[in-house]
C-alpha cells in the first residue's frame, strides 16, 4: 500500500532549510518505509526569489509569501527556518491558529515567546517541536524531557554555541586573531545572521532558557538570565588560564542552588580535566547531573547545515507519528515547576582575577586587603612584570568560592586604587 502523504510547508531555505530539503528528498522512501507516512514538500517561502540556490526546486513551489505556505490546505506541518524574532513569532502563531503542527529550529522565539506559543498550541490541539533549537544534532531536549523524566536534574553545563567555541578553539590552539576566527565561522554557516547574538552570549542564553525549562520545568524570563559574551576574552587570559591548568569556554550553566535555579552564560575557566574542556571547534556538548543518572555528557555537531537539518527532519517525523495517535494532545508539559531563578548577585563560585598594576612595594598587600575586607580568600597569587621601564605588571589571583556581589564590590574598590593601570579582569571558575 502506498504511504500516506503528509504535506510540509517550509518557511526559510537558507543554511538549515536547504539541508532539510536535501534530506526529505534523499530519505523520503526510508521514512515512508519506517513509518508508513511520507513527508512531501508542498511549498517553500524565501525572502529573495531571484537568488541562485544550491538545491533547485520548481518555480511554482517557491514563494516570497510565508502566509501563503501556512494557508495551503495540503500543508499539515509548517517548518519555520527563517530565524529572528519577527515575523517568525507571528508566523508560528498564525500556523498554530490555522491548525498546523509546527517544527522550528528558532531558539530565539522559543526562549522569548515559548509560553505564548505552547499555550496557543495546547488550545488549538496542535504540536510544536523544537529539538534543533538547542545543540543541533544532539538529542538533548528529548533526553531531558523523556529519557531523564525520572530524575531530579541538579545541574547542566553546556557548550551550546558553535561559533564562540570555534573562535575560542582557534585562539587557544593556533593563536588566531578573533576577527579571523569569526570570519571562518561565518563562512561555515555556523554564525547567526547577526553574529553579535553569538559573540555576546545571547544565542547561548536563549538555548540555556530552553534547556532550563526542559530540565527544571520553569518558565524563564530572559531578563533573569545573566549573560556575558566572549568579546573581552584576550589571548593573554587564554595563556594565563593554560598556565593555571584551565581552558576558557563559553559555558551555559543551569544549577539547582538552595531551592532556586542559577542561570548564567559567561566565559568560564574550566579545569582542563573536565570532560567539557576537550570539546573543540564547532562541537557542542551538554553535561548533565541528575539524582538517578549521576553524570552524563552529550557531544555532537551543534551547528551547520546537515546536523541541524537532521534534528529538524527527526522532529517532522516525530510530529507526523505523534499526530496520528488518538490522544496526541496529552503532551509533556514544559512549565510544571514553581522554582525561582536565583539573582546573579547571590551566585557563588571560584574566581580568577587579573590586576594590571604599576609594580611597587606593597601592591599585592593593598589588593589582598580589599579582597579580605569583603571576605574573599585567595588560594594562589602570581606577579609578573610586563614592561621594565614603566614598571607595568600584572598580579593574578585565584580565589576560594566567593559571592558574586562581594567580588564585584571589591573589584570596584580595587579599580580605584592609584596602583592600578587599567581596570581589573575576572573570570569565573568551574572545576
Ligand atoms: P539563514 O539566514 O541561512 O536562512 C534564512 C532563510 O529564511 C533564507 O532562506 C531566507 O530567504 C528566509 N527568510 C528570511 N526572512 C524571510 C522572510 N521575511 N520571508 C521569507 N523568507 C525569509 O538561516 P539558518 O538556516 O542559518 O537558520 C535558520 C534557523 O535555524 C534560525 O532560527 C537559526 O537560529 C536556527 N539554527 C541555525 C543553525 C545553523 O547552524 N545555521 C543551527 C541551529 C539552529 P533568502 O534565502 O531569500 O535570504
Ligand atoms: N549560531 C549558532 C551557533 C547556530 O553558532 O551555535 C546553532 O544554533
Amino acid at each position: 500500500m502506498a504511504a500516506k502523504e503528509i504535506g510540509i510547508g517550509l518557511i526559510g531555505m537558507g543554511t538549515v532549510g536547504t539541508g532539510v530539503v536535501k534530506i526529505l528528498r534523499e530519505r523520503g522512501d526510508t521514512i515512508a518505509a519506517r513509518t508508513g507516512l511520507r513527508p512531501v514538500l508542498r511549498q517553500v517561502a524565501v525572502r529573495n526569489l531571484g537568488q541562485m540556490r544550491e538545491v533547485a526546486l520548481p518555480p511554482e513551489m517557491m514563494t516570497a509569501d510565508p502566509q501563503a505556505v501556512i494557508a495551503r490546505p495540503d500543508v499539515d506541518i509548517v517548518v519555520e527556518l527563517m530565524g529572528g524574532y519577527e515575523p517568525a513569532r507571528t508566523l508560528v502563531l498564525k500556523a498554530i491558529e490555522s491548525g498546523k503542527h509546527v517544527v522550528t529550529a528558532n531558539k530565539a522565539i522559543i526562549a522569548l515567546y515559548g509560553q505564548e506559543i505552547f499555550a496557543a498550541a495546547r488550545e488549538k490541539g496542535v504540536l510544536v517541536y523544537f529539538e534543533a533549537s538547542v545543540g543541533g544534532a544532539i538529542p538533548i531536549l528529548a533526553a531531558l524531557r523523556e529519557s531523564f523524566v525520572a530524575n531530579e536534574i541538579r545541574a547542566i553545563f553546556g557548550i551550546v554555541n558553535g561559533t564562540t567555541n570555534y573562535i575560542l578553539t582557534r585562539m587557544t590552539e593556533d593563536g588566531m586573531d578573533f576577527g579571523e576566527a569569526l570570519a571562518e565561522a561565518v563562512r561555515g554557516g555556523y554564525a547567526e545572521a547577526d553574529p553579535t547574538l553569538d559573540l555576546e552570549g545571547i544565542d547561548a542564553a536563549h538555548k540555556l532558557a530552553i534547556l532550563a525549562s526542559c530540565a527544571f520545568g520553569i518558565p524563564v524570563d530572559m531578563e533573569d538570565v545573566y549573560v556575558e559574551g566572549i568579546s573581552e576574552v584576550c589571548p593573554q587570559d587564554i595563556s594565563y588560564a593554560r598556565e593555571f591548568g584551565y581552558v576558557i569556554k563559553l559555558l551555559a550553566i543551569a544549577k539547582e542552588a538552595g531551592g532556586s535555579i542559577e542561570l548564567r552564560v559567561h566565559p568560564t575557566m574550566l579545569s582542563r580535566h573536565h570532560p567539557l574542556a576537550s570539546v573543540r571547534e564547532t562541537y557542542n556538548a551538554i553535561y548533565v547531573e541528575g539524582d538517578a543518572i549521576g553524570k552524563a555528557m552529550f557531544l555532537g555537531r551543534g551547528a551547520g547545515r546537515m546536523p541541524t537539518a537532521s534534528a529538524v527532519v527527526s522532529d517532522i517525523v516525530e510530529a507526523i507519528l505523534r499526530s496520528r495517535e488518538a490522544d496526541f494532545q496529552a503532551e509533556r508539559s514544559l512549565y510544571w515547576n514553581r522554582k525561582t531563578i536565583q539573582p546573579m548577585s547571590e551566585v557563588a563560585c571560584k574566581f580568577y582575577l587579573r590586576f594590571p598594576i604599576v609594580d611597587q612595594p606593597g601592591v599585592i598587600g593593598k589588593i589582598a586587603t580589599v579582597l579580605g575586607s569583603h571576605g574573599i580568600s585567595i588560594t594562589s597569587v602570581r606577579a609578573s612584570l610586563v614592561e621594565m621601564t614603566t614598571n607595568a605588571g600584572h598580579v593574578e589571583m585565584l580565589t576560594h568560592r566567593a559571592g558574586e556581589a562581594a567580588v564585584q564590590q571589591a573589584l570596584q574598590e580595587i579599580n580605584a586604587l592609584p596602583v592600578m593601570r587599567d581596570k581589573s579582569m575576572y573570570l569565573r571558575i568551574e572545576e
Side-chain angles (χ1 to χ4, degrees):
M1 197 174 69
K4 182 175 158 43
E5 292 190 352
I6 304 292
I8 309 296
L10 187 58
I11 302 179
M13 195 171 84
T15 303
V16 183
T18 301
V20 169
V21 175
K22 282 186 173 184
I23 296 182
L24 287 179
R25 275 184 172 179
E26 288 164 18
R27 300 285 142 76
D29 288 345
T30 316
I31 294 170
R34 290 175 91 163
T35 64
L37 300 159
R38 179 184 295 276
V40 177
L41 195 59
R42 305 279 192 218
Q43 198 166 30
V44 178
V46 291
R47 192 170 23 200
N48 177 5
L49 280 175
Q51 191 179 305
M52 284 285 288
R53 304 211 174 252
E54 203 178 307
V55 174
L57 291 173
E60 64 276 12
M61 269 186 82
M62 307 294 289
T63 175
D65 178 10
Q67 305 265 7
V69 175
I70 295 169
R72 283 179 69 118
D74 60 352
V75 163
D76 304 292
I77 301 176
V78 172
V79 181
E80 185 276 305
L81 295 174
M82 71 194 299
Y85 303 103
E86 285 292 355
R89 166 186 159 271
T90 304
L91 289 168
V92 162
L93 289 171
K94 179 85 193 160
I96 291 169
E97 193 191 313
S98 310
K100 314 285 165 127
H101 304 297
V102 172
V103 171
T104 181
N106 190 332
K107 52 264 167 166
I109 60 165
I110 297 297
L112 266 87
Y113 310 116
Q115 292 184 68
E116 183 186 17
I117 289 170
F118 296 118
R122 210 168 22 255
E123 193 167 321
K124 204 70 198 173
V126 297
L127 300 162
V128 177
Y129 282 83
F130 51 100
E131 181 66 62
S133 65
V134 181
I138 306 170
I140 182 63
L141 303 184
L144 290 171
R145 298 181 74 193
E146 298 167 25
S147 316
F148 295 169
V149 74
N151 281 255
E152 283 262 321
I153 301 296
R154 305 278 196 232
I156 294 179
F157 299 86
I159 294 176
V160 288
N161 183 269
T163 301
T164 46
N165 202 40
Y166 184 79
I167 294 171
L168 291 173
T169 304
R170 292 275 70 85
M171 286 172 75
T172 304
E173 295 182 5
D174 321 327
M176 192 185 270
D177 168 72
F178 188 102
E180 207 182 319
L182 170 62
E184 281 193 6
V186 170
R187 273 197 297 278
Y190 307 119
E192 295 301 299
D194 171 7
T196 52
L197 292 175
D198 298 296
L199 302 181
E200 297 309 327
I202 298 160
D203 177 74
H206 288 153
K207 292 164 177 168
L208 181 64
I210 298 170
L211 285 168
S213 292
C214 293
F216 297 103
I218 49 167
V220 175
D221 184 337
M222 287 310 297
E223 308 245 303
D224 296 332
V225 182
Y226 178 80
V227 191
E228 225 178 85
I230 64 160
S231 48
E232 299 215 351
V233 174
C234 63
Q236 202 169 31
D237 293 314
I238 289 174
S239 95
Y240 285 147
R242 185 185 294 126
E243 286 165 31
F244 278 113
Y246 294 94
V247 292
I248 299 179
K249 294 284 182 192
L250 183 73
L251 287 196
I253 300 171
K255 238 193 234 185
E256 164 93 59
S260 57
I261 310 289
E262 263 175 54
L263 290 183
R264 48 192 170 104
V265 171
H266 50 71
T268 309
M269 269 177 48
L270 188 64
S271 162
R272 69 164 164 255
H273 302 296
H274 193 286
L276 287 172
S278 56
V279 178
R280 301 167 59 251
E281 310 270 346
T282 56
Y283 274 92
N284 279 197
I286 298 107
Y287 185 83
V288 185
E289 293 177 11
D291 61 345
I293 54 163
K295 293 170 181 165
M297 188 164 106
F298 296 75
L299 170 76
R301 292 261 177 221
R305 169 168 294 167
M306 299 315 287
T308 312
S310 158
V312 172
V313 175
S314 140
D315 269 357
I316 291 173
V317 173
E318 215 36 52
I320 291 175
L321 291 176
R322 190 91 173 88
S323 65
R324 313 307 289 176
E325 292 171 15
D327 68 339
F328 77 82
Q329 279 92 346
E331 263 298 41
R332 284 163 204 274
S333 174
L334 257 190
Y335 311 118
W336 43 267
N337 203 333
R338 292 189 174 275
K339 282 190 176 152
T340 53
I341 297 169
Q342 190 175 57
M344 188 61 188
S345 57
E346 291 173 18
V347 166
C349 62
K350 295 179 180 177
F351 281 82
Y352 160 83
L353 307 174
R354 176 165 61 79
F355 304 103
I357 45 100
V358 180
D359 191 17
Q360 54 182 238
V363 65
I364 293 180
K366 285 179 184 144
I367 291 171
T369 301
V370 177
L371 292 173
S373 74
H374 288 278
I376 300 162
S377 173
I378 301 158
T379 58
S380 169
V381 181
R382 201 172 63 174
S384 53
L385 202 58
V386 288
E387 169 48 70
M388 292 280 271
T389 48
T390 57
N391 264 1
H394 286 286
V395 171
E396 298 149 69
M397 294 180 178
L398 299 182
T399 76
H400 281 290
R401 254 170 85 79
E404 178 77 22
V407 170
Q408 295 301 340
Q409 184 59 43
L411 293 183
Q412 212 173 319
E413 288 172 31
I414 292 168
N415 287 344
L417 293 175
V419 292
M420 293 291 287
R421 291 182 292 113
D422 201 348
K423 74 178 170 67
S424 42
M425 195 277 174
Y426 61 91
L427 285 165
R428 299 173 190 87
I429 297 176
E430 293 289 338
E431 303 290 351

